[in-house]
Amino acid sequence: MGHYRFLEEVALADCAVEVEGRDPADLFETAASALACLMVDPATLSITVERAVTIEAPQLDLLLYDWLSELIYLKDRDRQVFPAAQVTIAGKGPFRLDAIARGGTIDAEHTTLGADPKAVTFHQFVLEQTADGWRARLVIDI
């Protein structure tokens, strides 16, 4: 899995995160993990839910945007958070994401809550290939 770091100096009212992965699928999996860690303490979430997600988008960066937006939607609609995912990406534009997201339902008695993301924003939104793999910068509206 790739890695991520929250960028405290980029967004004051929102949350910025930089995500790196060896390939787009690894980056998307790592971004899902970062988003989940923003929402809850994953150690306090019982992993009991597995959900298949399929998304298509004309561009790879829009696919990442839609992927994270879907995870925020599932948190809002079903109170489910997904710290792990197995992602495959196909296509060269349009792109298709097929994922198995693994997580659990927020339990008010046991789950330690973090921030409550409302949306992914396009502010400073970047997805780029680097010499070492792929990198994204995301700002999450909280």
Side-chain angles (χ1 to χ4, degrees):
M1 177 177 272
H3 59 277
Y4 62 88
R5 67 183 179 104
F6 292 105
L7 306 171
E8 302 293 333
E9 70 281 0
V10 172
L12 297 177
D14 298 324
C15 181
V17 60
E18 184 174 86
V19 182
E20 294 181 338
R22 66 182 175 281
D23 55 39
D26 186 42
L27 184 136
F28 280 50
E29 291 169 359
T30 304
S33 179
L35 181 62
C37 286
L38 179 63
M39 296 177 186
V40 300
D41 176 353
T44 64
L45 185 71
S46 295
I47 305 300
T48 57
V49 178
E50 189 171 281
R51 184 180 289 252
V53 177
T54 299
I55 300 170
E56 293 184 3
Q59 298 171 219
L60 193 58
D61 58 348
L62 295 177
L63 191 68
L64 176 61
Y65 177 90
D66 289 347
W67 164 237
L68 297 174
S69 296
E70 178 70 13
L71 295 174
I72 292 171
Y73 170 74
L74 293 172
K75 180 265 301 171
D76 290 340
R77 187 186 74 183
D78 301 334
R79 300 184 45 84
Q80 295 175 342
V81 177
F82 298 94
Q86 182 176 4
V87 172
T88 58
I89 297 173
K92 296 184 183 235
F95 293 90
R96 177 185 166 111
L97 172 144
D98 289 296
I100 301 296
R102 293 180 182 85
T105 302
I106 295 171
D107 177 344
E109 292 186 23
H110 299 99
T111 306
T112 302
L113 299 176
D116 185 17
K118 295 177 180 68
V120 180
T121 73
F122 284 112
H123 179 66
Q124 298 192 24
F125 186 90
V126 175
L127 175 63
E128 61 188 1
Q129 189 169 14
T130 68
D132 299 324
W134 286 78
R135 178 183 322 131
R137 176 177 279 197
L138 313 164
V139 175
I140 310 294
D141 180 19
I142 54 175

